[in-house]
PDB file of all heavy atoms in Angstrom:
ATOM      1  N   MET A   1     -26.435   7.260  12.862  1.00  0.00           N
ATOM      2  CA  MET A   1     -25.313   7.220  11.949  1.00  0.00           C
ATOM      3  C   MET A   1     -24.283   6.232  12.499  1.00  0.00           C
ATOM      4  O   MET A   1     -23.639   6.509  13.506  1.00  0.00           O
ATOM      5  CB  MET A   1     -24.684   8.605  11.832  1.00  0.00           C
ATOM      6  CG  MET A   1     -23.387   8.568  11.093  1.00  0.00           C
ATOM      7  SD  MET A   1     -22.311  10.024  11.256  1.00  0.00           S
ATOM      8  CE  MET A   1     -23.356  11.340  11.657  1.00  0.00           C
ATOM      9  N   PRO A   2     -24.090   5.078  11.889  1.00  0.00           N
ATOM     10  CA  PRO A   2     -23.093   4.134  12.380  1.00  0.00           C
ATOM     11  C   PRO A   2     -21.678   4.551  11.984  1.00  0.00           C
ATOM     12  O   PRO A   2     -21.455   5.153  10.941  1.00  0.00           O
ATOM     13  CB  PRO A   2     -23.490   2.817  11.710  1.00  0.00           C
ATOM     14  CG  PRO A   2     -24.274   3.201  10.515  1.00  0.00           C
ATOM     15  CD  PRO A   2     -24.919   4.527  10.831  1.00  0.00           C
ATOM     16  N   ASP A   3     -20.740   4.237  12.861  1.00  0.00           N
ATOM     17  CA  ASP A   3     -19.330   4.541  12.633  1.00  0.00           C
ATOM     18  C   ASP A   3     -18.526   3.313  13.048  1.00  0.00           C
ATOM     19  O   ASP A   3     -18.652   2.848  14.185  1.00  0.00           O
ATOM     20  CB  ASP A   3     -18.913   5.757  13.463  1.00  0.00           C
ATOM     21  CG  ASP A   3     -17.420   6.025  13.364  1.00  0.00           C
ATOM     22  OD1 ASP A   3     -16.923   6.214  12.248  1.00  0.00           O
ATOM     23  OD2 ASP A   3     -16.755   6.022  14.419  1.00  0.00           O
ATOM     24  N   PHE A   4     -17.712   2.784  12.131  1.00  0.00           N
ATOM     25  CA  PHE A   4     -16.918   1.591  12.412  1.00  0.00           C
ATOM     26  C   PHE A   4     -15.454   1.882  12.102  1.00  0.00           C
ATOM     27  O   PHE A   4     -15.142   2.397  11.027  1.00  0.00           O
ATOM     28  CB  PHE A   4     -17.384   0.410  11.550  1.00  0.00           C
ATOM     29  CG  PHE A   4     -18.813   0.020  11.805  1.00  0.00           C
ATOM     30  CD1 PHE A   4     -19.818   0.500  10.983  1.00  0.00           C
ATOM     31  CD2 PHE A   4     -19.153  -0.807  12.858  1.00  0.00           C
ATOM     32  CE1 PHE A   4     -21.141   0.160  11.202  1.00  0.00           C
ATOM     33  CE2 PHE A   4     -20.472  -1.157  13.084  1.00  0.00           C
ATOM     34  CZ  PHE A   4     -21.473  -0.679  12.252  1.00  0.00           C
ATOM     35  N   GLU A   5     -14.590   1.562  13.055  1.00  0.00           N
ATOM     36  CA  GLU A   5     -13.151   1.685  12.834  1.00  0.00           C
ATOM     37  C   GLU A   5     -12.478   0.393  13.277  1.00  0.00           C
ATOM     38  O   GLU A   5     -12.590  -0.019  14.435  1.00  0.00           O
ATOM     39  CB  GLU A   5     -12.551   2.845  13.630  1.00  0.00           C
ATOM     40  CG  GLU A   5     -11.053   2.960  13.427  1.00  0.00           C
ATOM     41  CD  GLU A   5     -10.403   3.992  14.333  1.00  0.00           C
ATOM     42  OE1 GLU A   5     -11.113   4.806  14.909  1.00  0.00           O
ATOM     43  OE2 GLU A   5      -9.173   3.945  14.457  1.00  0.00           O
ATOM     44  N   PHE A  38     -16.215  10.122  17.536  1.00  0.00           N
ATOM     45  CA  PHE A  38     -17.562   9.964  17.009  1.00  0.00           C
ATOM     46  C   PHE A  38     -18.376  11.159  17.486  1.00  0.00           C
ATOM     47  O   PHE A  38     -18.581  11.336  18.687  1.00  0.00           O
ATOM     48  CB  PHE A  38     -18.150   8.647  17.516  1.00  0.00           C
ATOM     49  CG  PHE A  38     -19.533   8.370  17.018  1.00  0.00           C
ATOM     50  CD1 PHE A  38     -19.773   8.109  15.689  1.00  0.00           C
ATOM     51  CD2 PHE A  38     -20.594   8.360  17.900  1.00  0.00           C
ATOM     52  CE1 PHE A  38     -21.057   7.844  15.233  1.00  0.00           C
ATOM     53  CE2 PHE A  38     -21.876   8.093  17.462  1.00  0.00           C
ATOM     54  CZ  PHE A  38     -22.107   7.835  16.131  1.00  0.00           C
ATOM     55  N   PHE A  39     -18.802  12.003  16.560  1.00  0.00           N
ATOM     56  CA  PHE A  39     -19.510  13.233  16.910  1.00  0.00           C
ATOM     57  C   PHE A  39     -20.881  13.217  16.263  1.00  0.00           C
ATOM     58  O   PHE A  39     -20.995  13.122  15.046  1.00  0.00           O
ATOM     59  CB  PHE A  39     -18.705  14.453  16.452  1.00  0.00           C
ATOM     60  CG  PHE A  39     -19.300  15.752  16.885  1.00  0.00           C
ATOM     61  CD1 PHE A  39     -19.145  16.204  18.187  1.00  0.00           C
ATOM     62  CD2 PHE A  39     -20.024  16.532  16.000  1.00  0.00           C
ATOM     63  CE1 PHE A  39     -19.693  17.412  18.601  1.00  0.00           C
ATOM     64  CE2 PHE A  39     -20.581  17.733  16.405  1.00  0.00           C
ATOM     65  CZ  PHE A  39     -20.414  18.172  17.703  1.00  0.00           C
ATOM     66  N   ASP A  40     -21.890  13.308  17.092  1.00  0.00           N
ATOM     67  CA  ASP A  40     -23.267  13.300  16.605  1.00  0.00           C
ATOM     68  C   ASP A  40     -23.965  14.537  17.140  1.00  0.00           C
ATOM     69  O   ASP A  40     -24.150  14.689  18.341  1.00  0.00           O
ATOM     70  CB  ASP A  40     -23.978  12.030  17.080  1.00  0.00           C
ATOM     71  CG  ASP A  40     -25.412  11.984  16.612  1.00  0.00           C
ATOM     72  OD1 ASP A  40     -25.790  12.789  15.740  1.00  0.00           O
ATOM     73  OD2 ASP A  40     -26.173  11.146  17.115  1.00  0.00           O
ATOM     74  N   ALA A  51     -33.339   3.645  14.745  1.00  0.00           N
ATOM     75  CA  ALA A  51     -32.321   2.874  15.465  1.00  0.00           C
ATOM     76  C   ALA A  51     -31.321   3.789  16.166  1.00  0.00           C
ATOM     77  O   ALA A  51     -31.190   4.954  15.827  1.00  0.00           O
ATOM     78  CB  ALA A  51     -31.583   1.969  14.482  1.00  0.00           C
ATOM     79  N   PRO A  52     -30.600   3.251  17.145  1.00  0.00           N
ATOM     80  CA  PRO A  52     -29.604   4.061  17.854  1.00  0.00           C
ATOM     81  C   PRO A  52     -28.365   4.307  16.990  1.00  0.00           C
ATOM     82  O   PRO A  52     -28.113   3.592  16.029  1.00  0.00           O
ATOM     83  CB  PRO A  52     -29.258   3.192  19.059  1.00  0.00           C
ATOM     84  CG  PRO A  52     -29.496   1.809  18.581  1.00  0.00           C
ATOM     85  CD  PRO A  52     -30.681   1.900  17.658  1.00  0.00           C
ATOM     86  N   ASP A  53     -27.601   5.338  17.359  1.00  0.00           N
ATOM     87  CA  ASP A  53     -26.299   5.537  16.742  1.00  0.00           C
ATOM     88  C   ASP A  53     -25.335   4.510  17.307  1.00  0.00           C
ATOM     89  O   ASP A  53     -25.365   4.193  18.495  1.00  0.00           O
ATOM     90  CB  ASP A  53     -25.781   6.946  17.031  1.00  0.00           C
ATOM     91  CG  ASP A  53     -26.597   7.988  16.290  1.00  0.00           C
ATOM     92  OD1 ASP A  53     -27.162   7.657  15.237  1.00  0.00           O
ATOM     93  OD2 ASP A  53     -26.672   9.127  16.766  1.00  0.00           O
ATOM     94  N   ILE A  54     -24.480   4.003  16.443  1.00  0.00           N
ATOM     95  CA  ILE A  54     -23.564   2.938  16.840  1.00  0.00           C
ATOM     96  C   ILE A  54     -22.145   3.372  16.511  1.00  0.00           C
ATOM     97  O   ILE A  54     -21.862   3.805  15.392  1.00  0.00           O
ATOM     98  CB  ILE A  54     -23.888   1.621  16.105  1.00  0.00           C
ATOM     99  CG1 ILE A  54     -25.306   1.150  16.455  1.00  0.00           C
ATOM    100  CG2 ILE A  54     -22.865   0.549  16.448  1.00  0.00           C
ATOM    101  CD1 ILE A  54     -25.767  -0.033  15.642  1.00  0.00           C
ATOM    102  N   ASN A  55     -21.256   3.261  17.482  1.00  0.00           N
ATOM    103  CA  ASN A  55     -19.841   3.527  17.271  1.00  0.00           C
ATOM    104  C   ASN A  55     -19.055   2.287  17.699  1.00  0.00           C
ATOM    105  O   ASN A  55     -19.185   1.825  18.829  1.00  0.00           O
ATOM    106  CB  ASN A  55     -19.386   4.737  18.094  1.00  0.00           C
ATOM    107  CG  ASN A  55     -17.918   5.030  17.899  1.00  0.00           C
ATOM    108  OD1 ASN A  55     -17.440   5.104  16.777  1.00  0.00           O
ATOM    109  ND2 ASN A  55     -17.196   5.194  18.988  1.00  0.00           N
ATOM    110  N   VAL A  56     -18.253   1.759  16.783  1.00  0.00           N
ATOM    111  CA  VAL A  56     -17.459   0.571  17.067  1.00  0.00           C
ATOM    112  C   VAL A  56     -16.012   0.872  16.721  1.00  0.00           C
ATOM    113  O   VAL A  56     -15.719   1.318  15.609  1.00  0.00           O
ATOM    114  CB  VAL A  56     -17.944  -0.656  16.260  1.00  0.00           C
ATOM    115  CG1 VAL A  56     -17.045  -1.859  16.529  1.00  0.00           C
ATOM    116  CG2 VAL A  56     -19.383  -0.986  16.605  1.00  0.00           C
ATOM    117  N   LEU A 101     -25.014   3.373  21.204  1.00  0.00           N
ATOM    118  CA  LEU A 101     -24.134   2.251  21.503  1.00  0.00           C
ATOM    119  C   LEU A 101     -22.706   2.604  21.145  1.00  0.00           C
ATOM    120  O   LEU A 101     -22.418   3.039  20.026  1.00  0.00           O
ATOM    121  CB  LEU A 101     -24.574   1.006  20.716  1.00  0.00           C
ATOM    122  CG  LEU A 101     -26.026   0.558  20.961  1.00  0.00           C
ATOM    123  CD1 LEU A 101     -26.373  -0.621  20.057  1.00  0.00           C
ATOM    124  CD2 LEU A 101     -26.254   0.207  22.413  1.00  0.00           C
TER     125      LEU A 101
END
Side-chain angles (χ1 to χ4, degrees):
M1 170 196 336
D3 174 57
F4 299 97
E5 179 187 345
F38 181 67
F39 185 78
D40 179 13
D53 290 333
I54 299 173
N55 180 49
V56 177
L101 303 176

